[in-house]
Every structure is written in structure tokens, then in C-alpha cells.
Amino acid sequence: MRIVLFKAVLTGLLSLMASLAICFSVVPLLGGQVDGAGLAMAILCPLAIAIPASAVHFRHSEKLQRAESIASSAVMELARAYEELRLQSRPDGLTNVLNRQTFQRELTGASKMGMSGGLLFLDLDHFKSINDRYGHATGDEVLRKAGQVLNAHCGRSDIAGRLGGEEFVLFFGDMAAEDMFKRCEEIRLAIARLDVRAPSGAIVRVSASIGAVYCVAGFDAESCLGAADRNLYAAKASGRNTVAFAGSDL
């Protein structure tokens, strides 16, 4: 409030100076004299009008600035909360790879950007048996470490996700078709080397079957996922812990 009053008084004094300057420069030119009631009016009118009007103006401006500041802070806080929620909704809580919806959205986005690359569909072999034999906590540990393997093999253009249960997907953006099988084998071997122990100390054997398909630029995400899924079933049919790979013109 002090600042408002200070600004109002300062504005009043400036108005007074302007009023006197006009009076002493214009009135003599018109043949008059600046004295008596005329001088009093030249002094009192600017002060009586400018100070209250300026006080009201500056007070409303201060309230408006405060309201704008509060609104800006609220918008920033809302944006921050939205971003946190968006980031929390992206990863699968257990494996820290993207959840199903986010992966599918990102894969569609990669297609729209004109990217090509390799799409892998992974299924952990005999996962139900791991849960039944060692318990769900051990099963969760297997899933968690499988997610770590996928994230470790992801570059800036790659996308890893969990479709549900023990099924994972991985898209290698801008990968050449001739590099696909080697990368699939790297991931398969990395999962086979996972060190997972049951509460009893028993070593839990983990392996994965992988179905892979190469996606050309402009690919249809759903069609390529379907092709990779079919290759996954071929990998399972051939004995599991293996890779089934085919090119794609989808």
C-alpha cells in the first residue's frame, strides 16, 4: 500500500509541475497573470484529481499483477503436475519399460515419422512354471530383470515395452535388416544369462523366445506387431529359447 501511495503522490506532484508550467507559459501569452485564485486552482486541481485517481489506478494495477502472478504460478504448477502424471503413466511399474498403450502410440509415431527398423516380440519361456515353482515374487524379479535387459539394449531411437504378463516388445529404429538377427541373439543370450535366485537360493533358469520382423518406412504398426507375433509362435514351436525372423513388406 505504501508503494501505491508513493506512486500516487509522485504522480500528483508531476501533474502539479505540469499544471504550473502550462499556467506560467500560456497565461502570460494571453495577457493574464498567474496569481490569487487562479494560482490556487492551478495548484489544488492537479493534486485533488491526480492523487486519488492515481491511487485507484495503481491499486487496481497491483491487484491485477498479483492475480496474474497467482494465475501464472497455478498454470506452471498444473503443467508440472500434468508432466509428472504423463511420465508416471508411460512406464510399466514393474519392469520400467513402456506400458502397452504408450508403446503402441510410440510405435505408430515412429511409423508416421518415416522410420524403419526391427520389431521384436519376446515371450519369457515357461514363465507360469517359474511362478508356480518359486512364487510370484521370484516371477516379478524375472520380469524386472528382463526389463533391465531391454532398456540396456535401447538406444535413442529405440522403444521397449511390455504388452502384458511375460510378453515384451522392442523396436530398433533405423536398424538395417541385416543387423536384425545379431541383435535378437544378443538379447536372447542376455536374458538366458540373467542371474535370478529363488528365496531358497536355487538358480532360476530364464530364457526367451523371440519373433522378429523388419519394418520398412511407413509400416503399419498393428500389422507388424501381428507379423512379429506369428514369428514368435514359430520360435516357440521350434523348441523355445530361439529366434524366428522374417522380413516384412508391411
Side-chain angles (χ1 to χ4, degrees):
M1 190 64 184
R2 292 181 187 178
I3 296 177
V4 171
L5 291 176
F6 174 77
K7 289 181 177 179
V9 172
L10 180 60
T11 302
L13 293 176
L14 292 174
S15 299
L16 172 61
M17 292 172 62
S19 176
L20 292 175
I22 292 172
C23 286
F24 281 104
S25 61
V26 176
V27 172
L29 294 177
L30 299 176
Q33 292 184 345
V34 182
D35 58 7
L39 178 60
M41 292 297 292
I43 295 172
L44 293 177
C45 285
L47 295 177
I49 296 173
I51 292 178
S54 298
V56 172
H57 169 74
F58 289 129
R59 180 60 177 166
H60 281 293
S61 296
E62 186 181 71
K63 288 182 177 179
L64 181 61
Q65 289 177 355
R66 190 174 303 160
E68 289 176 344
S69 177
I70 293 173
S72 178
S73 298
V75 169
M76 290 179 63
E77 188 64 29
L78 183 62
R80 189 161 39 244
Y82 172 79
E83 181 64 14
E84 288 179 2
L85 182 62
R86 185 184 70 83
L87 292 175
Q88 289 173 4
S89 67
R90 285 170 57 87
D92 173 70
L94 177 62
T95 61
N96 204 35
V97 297
L98 298 181
N99 60 36
R100 182 189 188 99
Q101 292 80 7
T102 305
F103 177 86
Q104 291 176 323
R105 185 167 60 248
E106 295 282 339
L107 185 63
T108 300
S111 172
K112 290 180 179 179
M113 290 173 60
M115 294 179 66
S116 59
L119 180 63
L120 282 62
F121 205 132
L122 300 85
D123 185 88
L124 298 179
D125 297 327
H126 306 295
F127 184 73
K128 184 178 184 303
S129 297
I130 293 176
N131 275 334
D132 293 342
R133 183 174 181 181
Y134 301 109
H136 288 279
T138 302
D140 286 349
E141 182 65 11
V142 170
L143 294 172
R144 189 178 298 110
K145 290 195 172 184
Q148 291 173 357
V149 168
L150 299 190
N151 279 326
H153 283 79
C154 272
R156 297 186 63 178
S157 301
D158 305 332
I159 315 168
R162 181 187 179 196
L163 294 187
E166 66 273 25
E167 293 183 336
F168 294 85
V169 277
L170 184 59
F171 178 72
F172 290 112
D174 294 328
M175 173 180 284
E178 55 268 24
D179 297 329
M180 280 278 296
F181 187 77
K182 178 183 177 182
R183 187 61 65 88
C184 290
E185 278 293 291
E186 289 176 356
I187 293 174
R188 184 186 67 80
L189 291 173
I191 291 177
R193 288 194 293 264
L194 283 177
D195 182 14
V196 181
R197 304 295 177 104
S200 63
I203 297 175
V204 179
R205 302 295 180 185
V206 184
S207 66
S209 299
I210 301 176
V213 64
Y214 185 72
C215 307
V216 299
F219 64 91
D220 179 76
E222 288 299 322
S223 297
C224 283
L225 281 170
D229 190 26
R230 289 190 293 273
N231 287 338
L232 171 62
Y233 276 97
K236 290 181 177 180
S238 64
R240 302 179 188 268
N241 192 23
T242 189
V243 176
F245 171 71
S248 174
D249 295 322
L250 297 171

